Amino acid sequence: MLQGYRIVEIEGLGPGPFAAMMLADLGAEVIVIHRPGGGNPVAGEVNLLDRGKRSITLDLKDPADLQTARALISTADALIEGFRPGVMERLGLGPDDLHPENPRLVYGRMTGWGQTGPKAQTAGHDLNYIATSGALWYASAPDDTPQTPATLVGDIGGGAMYLVAGILAGLLSATRTGKGTVVDAAIVDGSAHMMALLMSMAPSDNLHEARGTSLLDGPHWSRVYRCSCGGHISVQCLEPKFYAAFLDLMGLADSPDFSDQNDPAQWPRQTAQLSAIFATHPVSHWATIFEGSDACVAPVLSPWQAAQEAHNAAREIWTMADTGPQPAPAPRFDGQRATPGPAPERGADSEALRKELRARGLLT
């Protein structure tokens, strides 16, 4: 879908490289400017987030390499950077430096706190941003410590995905107007924006500030339960017909204890009873009972287990690489199946890219 678009990524951590990987998965030519020396300190020897990209090694503090970076960016449709505000400007690579040379450039900026505001120059990580934005508030059962899957809500959901959306919107606008833009993608902004669906329930009696009392974070039918094997099973049968199917398969269809689905006063007792029932058998037992039903029950799988699960395997959602499970590109498009290339060695395309820039008269 993005064939013919060139994206330049300045090497960073987390959401910026993920956004660039997603654009590469969608068919864009993504060139990552790797710094000399070692790689990402938190990634493996081969960084999954570099899959399908080309790599050039440049020291942006070296004048010759900086000139190469500017020449390369002048050929790009979009740029991705994830430094604190002002760093790119000090390097001479800010929007005001680059737009005169490339007016159509979509300049994607990925930060936690955004380009402006009292915390813009302050360090932070995924959990801090979503704690501040409000997105962490409902992320636990009542009386438990709020906790979310690492990086998914902030770095990826509120960060990378909003950067991708911003870049795509910017590319559409540049095609129409011939003028680029600057995308200020802040994790604190995006993760707050993600709360809109949940907050849409606020005018009714389905959302309350107190955790454990709202429609999705309080009921016994919206929970994860521990099984006898130590594994867990997820239950979220929101609609009455799905709740009825759940009770039927649990053997509780005629139990007066569960006849009232939506009475908050009964949720703690109902949750305790279901906890005791689920604890009597392993996950495999419950998975067999609920397989193929509309009860909205599913085992909690690790990525390694998910790669082997029948539905995931049929859709080829995961592939097994030397480094472990690797997720397939998403979303899908009719008649196409993306197969991203491997992650390149750092600097693997340096000479080829310099040769191209010289051939275009952009380097001497």
Side-chain angles (χ1 to χ4, degrees):
M1 290 295 167
L2 296 182
Q3 185 175 2
Y5 287 95
R6 170 174 279 190
I7 315 294
V8 172
E9 171 199 351
I10 309 295
E11 181 181 15
L13 299 176
F18 184 99
M21 180 201 73
M22 186 170 180
L23 293 168
D25 285 349
L26 293 173
E29 177 195 19
V30 176
I31 301 168
V32 55
I33 296 178
H34 281 126
R35 64 178 62 88
N40 186 331
V42 299
E45 184 176 345
V46 177
N47 189 350
L48 167 62
L49 299 185
D50 282 342
R51 74 182 186 190
K53 301 176 184 178
R54 304 175 72 190
S55 170
I56 183 171
T57 303
L58 296 174
D59 179 357
L60 297 181
K61 295 182 180 179
D62 177 88
D65 280 1
L66 183 61
Q67 180 185 3
T68 301
R70 289 184 69 126
L72 185 60
I73 295 167
S74 73
T75 70
D77 297 289
L79 172 76
I80 290 175
E81 65 92 2
F83 295 123
R84 292 196 200 190
V87 172
M88 288 289 279
E89 282 78 0
R90 289 193 291 273
L91 290 169
L93 295 174
D96 291 342
D97 303 303
L98 300 178
H99 274 144
E101 301 172 3
N102 186 355
R104 297 169 60 91
L105 181 70
V106 177
Y107 196 110
R109 317 198 80 159
M110 183 73 260
T111 63
W113 302 115
Q115 297 298 307
T116 60
K119 295 186 178 182
Q121 293 292 340
T122 306
H125 285 296
D126 178 281
L127 207 57
N128 311 129
Y129 308 136
I130 66 175
T132 301
S133 72
L136 185 62
W137 182 252
Y138 294 102
S140 73
D143 302 320
D144 284 350
T145 301
Q147 185 173 349
T148 65
T151 80
L152 293 184
V153 174
D155 284 353
I156 306 307
M161 293 300 181
Y162 280 82
L163 178 58
V164 169
I167 287 175
L168 294 178
L171 290 173
L172 287 172
S173 177
T175 299
R176 179 172 51 84
T177 66
K179 184 179 179 181
T181 188
V182 177
V183 181
D184 179 2
I187 296 170
V188 69
D189 294 353
S191 57
H193 189 259
M194 287 170 60
M195 293 290 287
L197 177 59
L198 190 62
M199 299 307 295
S200 70
M201 296 188 290
S204 66
D205 195 37
N206 292 324
L207 186 69
H208 305 278
E209 186 174 358
R211 288 193 297 113
T213 62
S214 300
L215 182 67
L216 297 181
D217 77 325
H220 55 295
W221 48 259
S222 185
R223 279 281 191 281
V224 173
Y225 292 96
R226 187 177 180 89
C227 302
S228 65
C229 61
H232 296 83
I233 197 93
S234 69
V235 178
Q236 195 169 52
C237 41
L238 168 63
E239 292 82 358
K241 63 180 180 180
F242 300 149
Y243 181 67
F246 169 74
L247 293 181
D248 184 55
L249 290 171
M250 289 289 289
L252 299 171
D254 297 323
S255 171
D257 290 342
F258 293 92
S259 59
D260 196 328
Q261 179 182 356
N262 295 311
D263 181 1
Q266 298 188 47
W267 288 345
R269 174 184 54 77
Q270 292 166 326
T271 297
Q273 288 181 251
L274 288 179
S275 295
I277 295 172
F278 277 115
T280 61
H281 294 289
V283 170
S284 57
H285 170 83
W286 299 113
T288 299
I289 286 178
F290 290 104
E291 179 68 28
S293 75
D294 281 345
C296 303
V297 176
V300 178
L301 305 177
S302 73
W304 285 261
Q305 294 170 324
Q308 307 299 322
E309 193 271 340
H311 178 81
N312 294 341
R315 288 182 59 83
E316 299 179 328
I317 293 174
W318 291 89
T319 58
M320 293 302 296
D322 293 339
T323 55
Q326 182 176 139
R332 305 180 188 212
F333 299 93
D334 185 39
Q336 299 185 33
R337 182 63 167 159
T339 53
E345 293 184 9
R346 298 173 68 84
D349 303 287
S350 296
E351 289 309 311
L353 288 167
R354 283 190 173 92
K355 183 177 179 180
E356 175 200 315
L357 294 174
R358 284 193 290 267
R360 297 174 67 164
L362 297 172
L363 277 184
T364 57

